[in-house]
Amino acid sequence: MSFSTAEELGRVLVRLRLVEPSQLDECLVRLDPRKNKPADLLQVLEAKNYLTSYQISRLQKGDTDGLVLGEYKLMYRNASGSFARVFRACSVKDGRMVGLKVLRQRWAKDPKTVRDFRREAEVCKQLRHPNIVPIYDVGSDGDYHYFTMEFIEGGNLHDFINIRKKLSPVEATRCLLDMCKGLDYAL
């Protein structure tokens, strides 16, 4: 870990807005003063549910870059694709949970890919339909390009089918009809 003391780590966590100063103070007083190790602080922060296992894993590697993008702190990674990753994120302003789609770093320097990614988000941001996930914000933070959307609990259709193994004809028809309605509206 690249932090020498729990206090040093704590200052970084507050600066990044991963924890509130009061949360940090609450956890620091729980530490054995003789140990004062960053790992001990992370353990207490996780036990209090102030940090997630995803955040802690990144912090243990000394990796703080991209843990907070704009006004959103990344909580967990939900999915990965060829061009982007989707995270469960939390607004540092009001605590609202959102889905946050981040363009992968290998594409972040390609102007055409960045333009297409942002265009997708801006176009979809205008769509309001029960079968289309609403897009809220489109932004960038340094080399990170992202957009936020409604966070919906559960997996996607692919995950659902992998778990269930098959759908009844009625379920499959309902899924296809819902997708077609959303696509028809979008077009």
Side-chain angles (χ1 to χ4, degrees):
M1 187 175 300
S2 62
F3 306 102
S4 55
T5 66
E7 287 80 8
E8 178 189 357
L9 170 61
R11 285 191 297 275
V12 171
L13 295 176
V14 169
R15 181 179 50 79
L16 289 173
R17 299 174 295 164
L18 284 171
V19 297
E20 296 292 323
S22 60
Q23 294 171 327
L24 175 63
D25 292 342
E26 177 187 342
C27 292
L28 284 172
V29 298
R30 293 174 171 260
L31 295 180
D32 181 340
R34 297 168 294 181
K35 290 189 177 177
N36 193 18
K37 292 186 176 140
D40 297 327
L41 176 58
L42 289 176
Q43 188 176 24
V44 174
L45 287 163
E46 184 175 30
K48 296 290 291 176
N49 292 316
Y50 293 149
L51 290 178
T52 66
S53 57
Y54 170 78
Q55 294 164 330
I56 288 174
S57 172
R58 297 264 312 265
L59 289 163
Q60 286 172 331
K61 297 172 188 168
D63 183 12
T64 59
D65 197 30
L67 276 173
V68 177
L69 299 176
E71 295 298 322
Y72 303 94
K73 57 184 172 180
L74 306 185
M75 308 297 282
Y76 298 100
R77 185 166 65 193
N78 284 18
S80 290
S82 301
F83 290 95
R85 291 187 169 128
V86 178
F87 294 86
R88 180 176 186 161
C90 179
S91 168
V92 295
K93 287 182 178 178
D94 60 16
R96 174 178 59 135
M97 289 295 171
V98 297
L100 190 142
K101 187 172 185 176
V102 183
L103 185 64
R104 285 182 176 260
Q105 286 300 292
R106 68 176 168 232
W107 299 104
K109 301 270 192 236
D110 179 18
K112 182 186 180 321
T113 303
V114 171
R115 192 172 48 253
D116 290 349
F117 181 81
R118 291 186 64 85
R119 182 176 171 277
E120 170 193 347
E122 292 293 350
V123 167
C124 291
K125 188 176 176 181
Q126 298 176 38
L127 303 177
R128 292 290 178 254
H129 188 274
N131 299 331
I132 299 174
V133 176
I135 305 296
Y136 300 135
D137 298 316
V138 181
S140 41
D141 190 336
D143 287 338
Y144 293 92
H145 304 279
Y146 65 90
F147 61 86
T148 63
M149 63 192 106
E150 179 182 355
F151 181 78
I152 299 171
E153 292 287 344
N156 57 34
L157 181 60
H158 183 266
D159 296 337
F160 182 72
I161 291 172
N162 277 342
I163 292 167
R164 293 274 303 276
K165 302 298 181 211
K166 66 178 186 173
L167 299 178
S168 72
V170 171
E171 289 172 314
T173 302
R174 188 177 315 118
C175 288
L176 284 171
L177 183 59
D178 286 345
M179 285 186 272
C180 289
K181 287 178 180 178
L183 286 169
D184 181 56
Y185 171 81
L187 292 174

